[in-house]
């Protein structure tokens, strides 16, 4: 809910925003207002005979099909009750408009909430059935054909009362023959297994660009913003993609209050916070670029070749959409760093998924979490979706069935099928250390555009990493000898090189001087690298990767290295 800040310009109140913004964006009234105009989510051609009805989105058309096919129960997963209301209003209007002329009975649109009871939006008749059991009784006594939106009903489906489940089953069975469709709306999916077959789950996608443009124009009108360049408007709409209509409206309003214009960076910052609230996704801001990575030349070339993959030019050229990249390798060799850089190369936002948090305790919650992640990523698209330490998120899917009732296997299945079918420009970049934990279907040929293996850095790569790390920590590489440091640090990963340099910084700081090659050499002597302590695992990973994944470093470099060593 927007609080209008004290510094709001005269005459611009929340109420005026409500009056001027499209209804689906800021309908604060709990009652549906049948006379209000509806802003379609996606405009589509009106159906024959439906000239007076509101335009219908693809989802609206799907709901119509469900209603016509006699589906008694639908579950719309969406945090946007107002958009759902508007959509169902359009649905009912269309249903009535396309009805057989000989059929005199029209579909009624009713809604229910614990506070308002059951309200018929046409006749304004209210039945004070505030309890879910009373509601079901009222629905069963309802004579007309109806689309009934149930607002708070999902809250009663968590650990449901057996009487409620039985009654709901009976009402659904009856509704099938009486042309009544019950539509539960909830911000999350709560469906006990007893009702899974009775109720069809329908995803309600986040608003598309067209709808967000409507929200922006509403705010511009309310705030009296004139002359905002179309390019700036589009940037603001892009920055808001992935938000609900209310969140977008709030972000635009905040931006106006803070900057007196609509500033995309303010909207983007608000979006980062809104996305983070879900606990599953985070928008990562990164300043890293290809120059921040030492070595890994093959992978860098591969990425560079795809830098325009998300442009219209690539689409016009007929390039198939880029699917994703899997980076496998030894810990600390720059896999996460490369994932961050991928988004920077493509020039798109980076969304990091905390795969471990996908899993929820309730039945179906993990799948619902994945669906919400996909929805957000597709709404923000073009973007990179980063699955870090993939094996940790999918742990259990190999032995699934015995350990977690098949949840991780189902989540993996949904992820894989989305990856192979997705049309939205979402590039998946995944990283993993331990392939033995990864389910084989994830490693199947063709699953990814490429699978790269990142080995310990060779001498030339170490030299580049030393230079990068010295510079990164505010020192001049010319004051050191990166060639010698590279030779002295064989077997160290990039992150170990960084750790050694930081160690020498601490030493020097303690002595109130600046670090020298000698300090680094001392720190190196005490350092035990992972390549020593985990030599067996590293060799096993190398053996696995041979022939399965592309080496992120070109063999030419290794040959040159060999020649250098031989000399
Ligand atoms: N090739 C590299 N070039 C420059 N810096 C590197 C390189 N590899 C690692 N680093 C440094 O090490 C840090 C940690 O690397 P990163 O997190 O990318 O490793 P990782 O392969 O993802 O490790 P893990 O498997 O433990 O997650 C980086 O932030 C960077 O400072
Ligand atoms: Mg990592």
């Amino acid at each position: 809910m927007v609080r209008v800040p004290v510094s709001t310009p005269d005459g611009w109140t929340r109420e005026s925003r409500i009056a001027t913004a499209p209804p689906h964006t800021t309908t604060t009234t709990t009652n549906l207002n049948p006379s209000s105009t509806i802003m379609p989510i996606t405009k589509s051609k009106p159906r024959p005979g439906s000239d007076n009805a509101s335009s219908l989105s693809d989802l609206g058309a799907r709901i119509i099909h469900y209603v016509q096919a006699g589906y008694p129960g639908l579950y719309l997963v969406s945090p946007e009750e107002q958009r759902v209301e508007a959509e169902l209003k359009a649905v009912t209007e269309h249903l009535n408009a396309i009805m057989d002329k000989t059929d005199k009975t029209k579909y009624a649109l009713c809604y229910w909430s614990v506070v308002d009871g059951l309200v018929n939006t046409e006749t304004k008749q209210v039945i004070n059935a505030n309890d879910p059991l009373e509601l079901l009784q009222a629905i069963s006594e309802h004579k007309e054909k109806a689309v009934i939106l149930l607002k708070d009903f999902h809250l009663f489906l968590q650990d449901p009362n057996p009487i409620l489940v039985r009654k709901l089953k009976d009402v659904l069975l009856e509704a099938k023959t009486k042309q009544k469709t019950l539509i539960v709306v909830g911000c999350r999916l709560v469906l006990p297994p007893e009702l899974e077959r009775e109720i069809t789950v329908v995803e309600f996608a986040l608003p598309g660009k067209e709808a967000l443009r409507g929200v922006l124009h509403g705010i511009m009108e309310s705030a009296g913003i004139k002359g905002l360049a179309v390019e700036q408007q589009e940037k603001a709409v892009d920055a808001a993609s992935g938000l609900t209509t209310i969140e977008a409206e709030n972000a635009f309003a905040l931006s106006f209050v803070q900057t007196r214009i609509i500033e995309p960076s303010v909207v983007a910052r608000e979006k980062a916070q809104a996305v983070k609230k879900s606990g599953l996704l985070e928008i990562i801001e990164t300043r890293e670029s290809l120059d921040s990575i030492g070595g890994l030349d093959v992978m860098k070339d591969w990425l560079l070749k795809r830098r325009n993959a998300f442009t219209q030019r690539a689409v016009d050229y007929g390039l198939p959409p880029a699917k994703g990249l899997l980076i496998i390798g030894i810990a600390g060799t720059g896999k996460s760093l490369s994932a961050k850089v991928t988004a920077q190369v493509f020039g798109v936002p980076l969304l990091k998924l905390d795969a471990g948090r996908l899993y929820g305790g309730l039945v179906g919650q993990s799948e619902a979490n994945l669906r919400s992640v996909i929805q957000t990523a597709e709404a923000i698209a073009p973007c990179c979706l980063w699955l870090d330490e993939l094996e940790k998120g999918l742990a259990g899917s190999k032995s699934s069935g015995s350990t977690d009732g098949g949840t991780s296997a189902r989540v993996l299945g949904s992820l894989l099928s989305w990856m192979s079918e997705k049309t939205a420009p979402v590039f998946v970049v995944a990283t993993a250390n331990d392939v033995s934990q990864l389910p084989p279907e994830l490693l199947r040929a063709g699953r990814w555009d490429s699978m790269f293996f990142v080995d310990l850095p060779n001498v030339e790569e170490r030299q580049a990493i030393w230079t990068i790390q010295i510079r990164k920590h505010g020192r001049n590489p010319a004051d050191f000898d990166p060639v010698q440091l590279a030779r002295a640090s064989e077997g160290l990963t990039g992150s170990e090189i960084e750790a050694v340099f930081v160690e020498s910084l601490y030493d020097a700081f303690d002595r109130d001087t600046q670090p020298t090659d000698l300090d680094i050499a001392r720190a190196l002597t005490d350092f035990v690298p992972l390549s020593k302590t985990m030599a067996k695992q590293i060799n096993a990973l190398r053996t696995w990767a041979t022939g399965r994944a592309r080496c992120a470093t070109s063999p030419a470099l290794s040959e040159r290295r060999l020649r250098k060593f031989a000399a």
Side-chain angles (χ1 to χ4, degrees), residues 92-93 96-97 99 103-109 144-146:
T92 322
E93 285 176 358
N96 288 331
M99 235 163 44
D103 194 343
K104 293 275 178 284
T105 52
K106 296 207 158 214
Y107 277 93
L109 174 62
E144 303 162 49
K145 300 177 189 170

Side-chain angles (χ1 to χ4, degrees), residues 476-496:
N476 185 357
D479 296 338
F480 299 85
D481 186 348
V483 177
Q484 286 306 329
L485 291 173
R487 287 192 186 141
S489 52
E490 182 162 14
L492 265 69
T493 63
S495 78
E496 288 173 333

Side-chain angles (χ1 to χ4, degrees), residues 439-511:
E441 51 275 43
L442 202 71
L443 301 167
R444 214 194 60 204
R447 183 69 74 202
W448 306 88
D449 291 324
S450 191
M451 274 199 265
F452 279 105
F453 169 64
V454 187
D455 205 338
L456 290 171
N458 63 36
V459 69
E460 290 177 349
E461 291 179 308
R462 289 198 300 278
Q463 184 183 329
I465 296 172
W466 275 111
T467 308
I468 289 169
Q469 291 301 336
I470 291 170
R471 199 171 286 130
K472 182 176 159 186
H473 290 91
R475 303 299 189 279
N476 185 357
D479 296 338
F480 299 85
D481 186 348
V483 177
Q484 286 306 329
L485 291 173
R487 287 192 186 141
S489 52
E490 182 162 14
L492 265 69
T493 63
S495 78
E496 288 173 333
I497 288 178
E498 181 173 19
V500 167
F501 188 66
V502 170
E503 184 63 34
S504 68
L505 277 176
Y506 269 97
D507 279 351
F509 177 68
D510 193 40
R511 286 181 280 110

Side-chain angles (χ1 to χ4, degrees), residues 152-165:
D152 305 310
F153 202 79
H154 67 294
L155 299 172
F156 298 93
L157 293 176
Q158 199 163 319
D159 300 325
N161 164 351
I163 304 175
L164 182 69
V165 173

Side-chain angles (χ1 to χ4, degrees), residues 98 103 113 138 143 162 173 184 186 193 216 227 230 257 309 347 398 409 417 423 468 537 545:
I98 59 177
D103 194 343
S113 81
K143 296 277 177 289
L173 195 66
V184 178
L216 177 64
V230 175
V257 170
K398 279 186 89 184
S417 63
T423 49
I468 289 169
Q537 289 92 324

Side-chain angles (χ1 to χ4, degrees), residues 288 291-296 329-340 386 388-389 391-392 431-433 454 457 461 464-465 468-469 472-473 493-496 498:
E288 322 277 11
D291 293 340
S292 317
I293 308 178
L296 312 186
I330 297 160
T333 47
K335 300 182 298 296
S336 299
L337 177 65
S338 307
K340 285 189 228 163
W386 173 22
D388 200 25
E389 307 194 340
E391 70 276 31
K392 293 196 182 133
T431 57
N433 291 340
V454 187
E461 291 179 308
I465 296 172
I468 289 169
Q469 291 301 336
K472 182 176 159 186
H473 290 91
T493 63
S495 78
E496 288 173 333
E498 181 173 19

Side-chain angles (χ1 to χ4, degrees), residues 196-505:
E196 267 172 19
R197 288 176 184 268
E198 266 81 6
I199 295 181
T200 304
V201 179
V202 183
E203 288 301 329
F204 195 80
L206 286 163
K209 297 237 162 103
E210 190 59 39
L212 291 173
R213 257 177 229 127
V215 177
L216 177 64
H217 293 156
I219 286 287
M220 283 168 55
E221 215 177 303
S222 307
I225 303 173
K226 291 197 179 77
L228 185 64
V230 175
E231 203 180 304
Q232 189 77 351
Q233 291 184 27
E234 283 309 294
K235 280 189 183 156
V237 165
D238 281 347
S241 306
L243 293 177
T244 64
T245 43
I246 291 188
E247 285 170 339
E249 192 196 30
N250 285 347
F252 293 144
L254 182 75
S255 162
F256 177 73
V257 170
Q258 285 183 351
T259 64
R260 286 298 186 253
I261 49 161
I262 304 290
E263 175 54 52
S265 63
V266 176
V267 179
R269 195 188 61 214
E270 286 303 294
K271 176 166 78 180
Q273 283 174 11
V275 167
K276 202 173 173 184
K277 258 193 294 179
S278 73
L280 295 165
L281 283 175
E282 194 180 340
I283 297 179
I284 307 275
E285 293 286 339
T286 177
R287 285 207 209 101
E288 322 277 11
S289 68
L290 277 180
D291 293 340
S292 317
I293 308 178
L296 312 186
D297 58 329
V298 177
M299 190 160 73
K300 281 186 192 166
D301 280 353
W302 189 91
L303 285 174
L304 266 178
K305 251 188 221 152
R306 280 157 184 78
R307 66 183 176 278
N308 293 320
F310 289 127
T311 58
Q312 189 55 41
R313 202 160 60 82
V315 176
D316 296 344
Y317 189 81
L319 280 183
K323 278 184 277 188
L325 168 69
L326 176 60
I327 310 173
I328 295 163
I330 297 160
T333 47
K335 300 182 298 296
S336 299
L337 177 65
S338 307
K340 285 189 228 163
V341 168
T342 301
Q344 195 271 343
V345 172
F346 290 152
V348 297
L350 177 66
L351 277 176
K352 184 180 177 192
L353 169 69
D354 188 340
R357 297 183 75 166
L358 272 181
Y359 300 97
L362 290 167
V363 176
Q365 198 179 325
S366 312
E367 291 93 323
N369 285 344
L370 180 67
R371 278 198 298 271
S372 123
V373 164
I374 290 173
Q375 230 187 44
T376 308
E378 291 193 335
I380 294 179
C383 66
C384 275
L385 179 62
W386 173 22
L387 316 179
D388 200 25
E389 307 194 340
L390 197 56
E391 70 276 31
K392 293 196 182 133
L394 300 172
S397 53
K398 279 186 89 184
S399 52
S400 193
S402 53
T403 51
D404 66 357
T407 303
S408 359
R410 280 200 304 274
V411 167
L412 175 68
S414 312
L415 178 71
L416 294 180
S417 63
W418 169 70
M419 274 174 61
S420 60
E421 286 158 18
K422 75 182 158 63
T423 49
V426 179
F427 186 81
V428 181
V429 51
T431 57
N433 291 340
D434 188 356
V435 274
S436 68
Q437 291 298 317
L438 285 179
E441 51 275 43
L442 202 71
L443 301 167
R444 214 194 60 204
R447 183 69 74 202
W448 306 88
D449 291 324
S450 191
M451 274 199 265
F452 279 105
F453 169 64
V454 187
D455 205 338
L456 290 171
N458 63 36
V459 69
E460 290 177 349
E461 291 179 308
R462 289 198 300 278
Q463 184 183 329
I465 296 172
W466 275 111
T467 308
I468 289 169
Q469 291 301 336
I470 291 170
R471 199 171 286 130
K472 182 176 159 186
H473 290 91
R475 303 299 189 279
N476 185 357
D479 296 338
F480 299 85
D481 186 348
V483 177
Q484 286 306 329
L485 291 173
R487 287 192 186 141
S489 52
E490 182 162 14
L492 265 69
T493 63
S495 78
E496 288 173 333
I497 288 178
E498 181 173 19
V500 167
F501 188 66
V502 170
E503 184 63 34
S504 68
L505 277 176

Side-chain angles (χ1 to χ4, degrees), residues 14 18 22-33 36 82-83 85-86 246:
R14 171 154 180 75
I18 294 162
H24 73 285
T25 65
T26 21
T27 320
T28 44
T29 48
T30 40
N31 285 323
L32 284 177
N33 173 8
S36 68
Q82 284 96 23
R83 260 184 79 215
E85 285 176 13
I246 291 188

